[in-house]
Amino acid sequence: MSDGMLPDANRQPQQGGLAIDPRVFAPMLGRFDQAMSGGEFLEVPGLGNPNDPNFRRSWGERLTYNAGRMYLAGLVCGGSYGLYEGVRDSAGQIRRLRINSVLNATSRHGPMLGNSAGVLGMMFSGLETLAGAVRGEDDILNPIGAATLTGVLFKMGSGPRAATVAGVVGGGAVAAMVFAGKQLGGAWKNML
């Protein structure tokens, strides 16, 4: 039974009722009467195939991806350190004070490290894109040079020694990632 406001679940739809055809609303989804075969749905025309070894994402996609993953990694690492510090510093306190100490330390270290790491990711992506545009090549020197320059620029205010160390650490880390990516299958471009 229906009270006139809600449709009855047992009642069949009317013949003259509203018919919704998904092809009208979303023609880019293709034909619904044919089964999709293979990997057609993965290949968007004009955007390339991510399974292709020569595939490279656009600079905007890399910028968003690198900044986001670096922010998340920094947030998790900083939050984990804050958790450790909060538990360590509140030993012997009552539970409520321990919880407060852990929350304060986690919220102090997590966002700070996350923001710094996100800025590093944005600087790296921008410098990598700039290196590719200036050099006209897309090889392993672009990310290594971009990481080195990112470290130098990020720590430049701390003095030349700290900037040099940061540049060597950044360049070395990315060189190790590129080398590992090439050894594991050659998909190093999609790792960065």
Side-chain angles (χ1 to χ4, degrees):
M1 285 191 180
S2 176
D3 62 356
M5 298 298 286
L6 298 173
D8 189 359
N10 297 324
R11 194 177 69 176
Q12 295 295 325
Q14 297 175 357
Q15 283 290 12
L18 180 63
I20 298 175
D21 186 7
R23 290 172 285 199
V24 172
F25 293 106
M28 72 246 166
L29 296 177
R31 298 189 55 177
F32 290 94
D33 56 350
Q34 294 178 350
M36 296 186 77
S37 63
E40 293 175 8
F41 60 95
L42 294 176
E43 298 177 19
V44 178
L47 294 180
N49 181 3
N51 298 325
D52 183 15
N54 295 322
F55 174 73
R56 185 76 164 153
R57 298 194 186 281
S58 71
W59 70 271
E61 289 175 317
R62 288 193 313 263
L63 177 80
T64 305
Y65 176 70
N66 286 335
R69 77 176 174 170
M70 291 294 290
Y71 177 78
L72 180 63
L75 193 65
V76 168
C77 291
S80 299
Y81 177 73
L83 175 69
Y84 166 75
E85 185 181 79
V87 169
R88 182 191 67 199
D89 292 345
S90 66
Q93 303 271 340
I94 61 173
R95 182 186 306 178
R96 183 170 283 187
L97 290 177
R98 288 193 79 164
I99 291 172
N100 189 27
S101 176
V102 166
L103 290 174
N104 285 338
T106 302
S107 64
R108 179 176 47 246
H109 293 290
M112 183 181 66
L113 189 59
N115 289 336
S116 295
V119 167
L120 285 171
M122 290 178 69
M123 287 173 64
F124 170 77
S125 295
L127 290 171
E128 183 188 18
T129 301
L130 182 65
V134 168
R135 293 183 64 231
E137 295 182 22
D138 190 16
D139 57 0
I140 62 172
L141 295 178
N142 292 346
I144 294 171
T148 303
L149 194 55
T150 297
V152 168
L153 290 175
F154 190 72
K155 283 295 185 180
M156 189 177 283
S158 299
R161 182 172 184 215
T164 303
V165 169
V168 169
V169 168
V174 170
M177 281 180 56
V178 168
F179 179 73
K182 287 185 101 173
Q183 296 301 316
L184 295 175
W188 64 271
K189 289 183 179 180
N190 290 329
M191 289 175 57
L192 301 175

